[in-house]
Amino acid sequence: MPDSSQLTWLFFSLSGRVSRAAYFLAGLLLAIAQALPLYRFMLVPEDSPQGQMWAVIFGLVFFASLWCNVALAVKRLHDFGKPGILALSLFIPVVSMVAFLVLCFLPGDRGANQYGARTNAPSSD
């Protein structure tokens, strides 16, 4: 089981590299975290206090996971030896679907590159 510093690095840091599997599984966890409050929101009347509470919780989870998705994409791009700024392509409709598939399925650089010595670890700068 990873410790809290590894999880903090994985979801919030922009340094280092992540593998295809780590990117996909972390993204899946974020999608599940977003789906739970959205599901609960849909079970209660919209204008009820519970509905408002679940809407706020969903909003908080959504914006937190937005940063996490960007951080994961930056680290995945680093695994290809590409600059993290290309992660902004995930905000362009249609391009985002292609970019996500590329990040999930294409292998990264073998061995060290300018962003780190190995995958699934922060850079040693």
Side-chain angles (χ1 to χ4, degrees):
M1 181 78 178
D3 66 19
S4 64
S5 67
Q6 290 172 316
L7 291 175
T8 301
W9 167 79
L10 179 64
F11 288 107
F12 298 102
S13 175
L14 298 177
S15 75
R17 301 165 55 185
V18 294
S19 66
R20 293 177 282 182
Y23 175 75
F24 179 77
L25 292 173
L28 185 61
L29 179 63
L30 291 172
I32 291 168
Q34 289 176 359
L36 177 66
L38 183 60
Y39 170 73
R40 295 297 300 173
F41 172 73
M42 296 187 70
L43 291 178
V44 297
E46 230 179 282
D47 55 352
S48 70
Q50 286 179 328
Q52 292 173 359
M53 177 191 71
W54 284 111
V56 168
I57 291 171
F58 173 74
L60 294 172
V61 170
F62 175 79
F63 284 111
S65 66
L66 190 65
W67 173 259
C68 295
N69 277 313
V70 169
L72 285 166
V74 166
K75 288 190 288 283
R76 186 70 190 116
L77 285 162
H78 287 173
D79 198 38
F80 292 113
K82 303 293 183 217
I85 194 73
L86 294 176
L88 294 177
S89 67
L90 294 173
F91 294 102
I92 303 169
V94 180
V95 173
S96 64
M97 291 183 283
V98 174
F100 175 76
L101 292 173
V102 166
L103 294 176
C104 283
F105 293 110
L106 289 182
D109 293 346
R110 290 182 184 207
N113 70 16
Q114 67 191 37
Y115 296 104
R118 61 186 180 91
T119 59
N120 301 328
S123 62
S124 57
D125 298 348

